[in-house]
């Protein structure tokens, strides 16, 4: 795919953006509405998180903060819209792990932007562990029994996710790798369908957000096995982590949502944004609402977030390469 703009034009645009914002003006930031672009549709995890955060940022940052949904292309359409925006801090991306750290390996050579070069990390906002749930008909009730059953039935167990190459898919690949098992991956287009087919027994298990699975778990329609975070999640303390099963001690793979600005955004603006988001996430009311959505508030400094992304990308690249995952 051809890039949408010449590199020289992009460089000139960044220079003009930086020149347009003097140190004095940076102190007055924001000078107009701040837009948080959500690269997915309304009602999903990223969207809900963005709207909860935007509401609080109106106080901690000052001014009007709005949320814009620009869905499509596995999150890449919205991300690219931010990449092309003026680097003045008034257009931001609340990005997930997919379009900012996984897609470069899954869509190798086909992306129209480079996350590491075209986006500036502002802060991690939340970590979002997935939960592994299984069909009631499956004769297992914990991770140890699931692994044992899978080893006895190689290639016979199936798991659903919301698509190819996303964190849920990588969760399954990592479980296969560390557990020494082989399963069949069945990608769906959304959480509802992937869960419904587990309740009917058409699919044996699924990796999904805790929020999406919660009502199914409470109704006894599926059996919860574990969360994918390295330790138990605060919002589901009774649910063990997969890593608690000794052979899976190194298991840790979560989705996450972070705030990004276009490359070239002045550091003073990035730091002001970081301070505003950090203050917002420390608010007990907002933190409670986010945990109710299956999210763990985890603010970081810009450098910490940059280092975090680099470390996460290393694991994502290894899993994608090992499993030979390629998006169509």
């Amino acid at each position: 795919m051809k890039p949408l703009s010449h590199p020289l034009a992009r460089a000139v645009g960044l220079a003009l953006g930086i020149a347009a914002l003097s140190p004095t003006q940076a102190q007055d930031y924001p000078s107009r509405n701040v837009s948080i672009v959500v690269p997915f549709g309304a009602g999903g995890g990223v969207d809900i998180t963005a709207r909860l955060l935007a509401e609080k940022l109106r106080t901690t940052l000052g001014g009007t903060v709005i949320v814009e949904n620009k869905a499509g292309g596995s999150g890449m359409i919205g991300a690219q819209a931010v990449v092309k925006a003026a680097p003045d801090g008034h257009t931001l991306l609340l990005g997930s792990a997919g379009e900012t750290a996984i897609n470069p390996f899954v869509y190798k050579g086909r992306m129209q932007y480079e996350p590491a070069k075209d986006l500036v990390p502002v802060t991690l906002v939340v970590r979002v562990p997935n939960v592994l749930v299984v069909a009631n008909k499956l004769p297992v009730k914990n991770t140890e029994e699931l692994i044992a059953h899978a080893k006895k039935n190689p290639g016979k167990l199936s798991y659903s996710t919301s698509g190819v190459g996303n964190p849920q898919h990588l969760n399954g690949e990592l479980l296969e790798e560390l557990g020494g098992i082989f399963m069949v991956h069945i990608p769906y287009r959304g959480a509802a369908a992937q869960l419904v087919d587990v309740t009917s027994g058409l699919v044996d298990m699924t990796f999904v957000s805790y929020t999406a699975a919660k009502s199914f778990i409470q109704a006894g329609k599926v059996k919860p096995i574990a969360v994918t975070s390295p330790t138990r999640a605060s919002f589901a303390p009774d649910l063990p982590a997969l890593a608690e099963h000794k052979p899976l001690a190194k298991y840790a793979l979560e989705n996450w949502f972070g705030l990004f600005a276009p490359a070239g955004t002045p550091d003073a603006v990035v730091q002001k944004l970081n301070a505003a988001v950090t203050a917002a996430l420390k608010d007990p009311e907002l933190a409670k609402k986010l945990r109710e959505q299956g999210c763990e508030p985890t603010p970081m400094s810009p450098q910490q977030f940059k280092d975090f992304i680099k470390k996460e990308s290393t694991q994502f690249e290894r899993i994608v390469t090992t499993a030979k995952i390629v998006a169509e």
Side-chain angles (χ1 to χ4, degrees):
M1 300 176 73
K2 294 182 179 179
L4 296 182
S5 61
H6 192 280
L8 180 58
R10 171 65 177 158
V12 171
L14 289 178
L16 290 175
I18 294 172
L21 195 67
S22 68
T24 300
Q25 289 173 313
Q27 292 175 7
D28 297 331
Y29 169 83
S31 59
R32 61 178 188 276
N33 291 352
V34 173
S35 175
I36 297 178
V37 174
V38 170
F40 301 99
V46 182
D47 180 67
I48 293 173
T49 300
R51 293 181 189 281
L52 289 172
L53 179 62
E55 182 179 0
K56 192 64 183 176
L57 282 178
R58 292 177 190 125
T59 299
T60 61
L61 183 62
T64 301
V65 182
I66 62 176
V67 174
E68 291 186 75
N69 296 90
K70 295 186 178 182
S74 296
M76 293 184 286
I77 290 178
Q80 185 165 317
V82 175
V83 166
K84 294 169 61 181
D88 57 12
H90 290 91
T91 303
L92 307 170
L93 171 72
L94 186 64
S96 70
E99 66 278 7
T100 61
I102 299 176
N103 287 1
F105 312 117
V106 177
Y107 294 87
K108 188 172 293 187
R110 295 164 56 193
M111 290 179 67
Q112 296 184 350
Y113 64 95
E114 295 182 58
K117 293 182 179 180
D118 297 331
L119 292 169
V120 176
V122 176
T123 180
L124 180 63
V125 177
V126 293
R127 292 183 294 105
V128 192
N130 280 313
V131 59
L132 172 60
V133 299
V134 304
N136 286 329
K137 71 169 188 177
L138 207 65
V140 304
K141 60 180 181 294
N142 55 46
T143 303
E144 183 177 2
E145 292 180 357
L146 174 62
I147 296 297
H149 184 72
K151 286 184 175 180
K152 290 180 181 178
N153 299 276
K156 294 183 179 180
L157 296 187
S158 59
Y159 71 97
S160 60
T161 71
S162 58
V164 174
N166 62 22
Q168 296 176 1
H169 184 189
L170 270 57
N171 277 139
E173 296 290 351
L174 186 59
L175 183 61
E176 288 186 276
E177 176 188 334
L178 297 181
I181 60 177
F182 170 60
M183 305 182 293
V184 177
H185 175 224
I186 303 178
Y188 283 69
R189 288 185 177 270
Q194 74 185 78
L195 273 162
V196 167
D197 282 357
V198 175
T199 65
S200 68
L202 185 63
V203 179
D204 294 304
M205 66 189 94
T206 189
F207 290 91
V208 70
S209 70
Y210 184 75
T211 304
K214 188 175 180 179
S215 63
F216 290 84
I217 294 172
Q218 293 176 335
K221 294 181 178 181
V222 295
K223 291 184 289 186
I225 296 298
V227 291
T228 65
S229 47
T231 58
R232 298 191 183 202
S234 65
F235 51 79
D238 295 330
L239 197 57
L242 283 165
E244 291 181 34
H245 180 50
K246 287 186 177 181
L248 304 180
K250 294 183 179 180
Y251 195 105
L253 197 154
E254 308 165 273
N255 195 1
W256 41 262
F257 310 152
L259 198 66
F260 296 82
T265 300
D267 185 63
V269 171
V270 172
Q271 294 298 335
K272 189 169 183 178
L273 278 166
N274 179 274
V277 175
T278 298
L281 293 175
K282 288 183 178 179
D283 178 72
E285 182 181 357
L286 176 58
K288 181 175 181 292
K289 289 179 179 178
L290 289 171
R291 290 191 176 98
E292 289 173 349
Q293 296 299 321
C295 302
E296 297 279 15
T298 317
M300 295 179 175
S301 71
Q303 186 60 52
Q304 287 174 329
F305 187 29
K306 184 177 181 179
D307 293 341
F308 172 84
I309 295 170
K310 184 176 181 180
K311 181 179 179 181
E312 289 284 284
S313 295
T314 298
Q315 175 175 232
F316 294 151
E317 181 180 22
R318 185 188 62 75
I319 295 173
V320 168
T321 301
T322 301
K324 299 179 181 179
I325 300 173
V326 179
E328 297 296 333

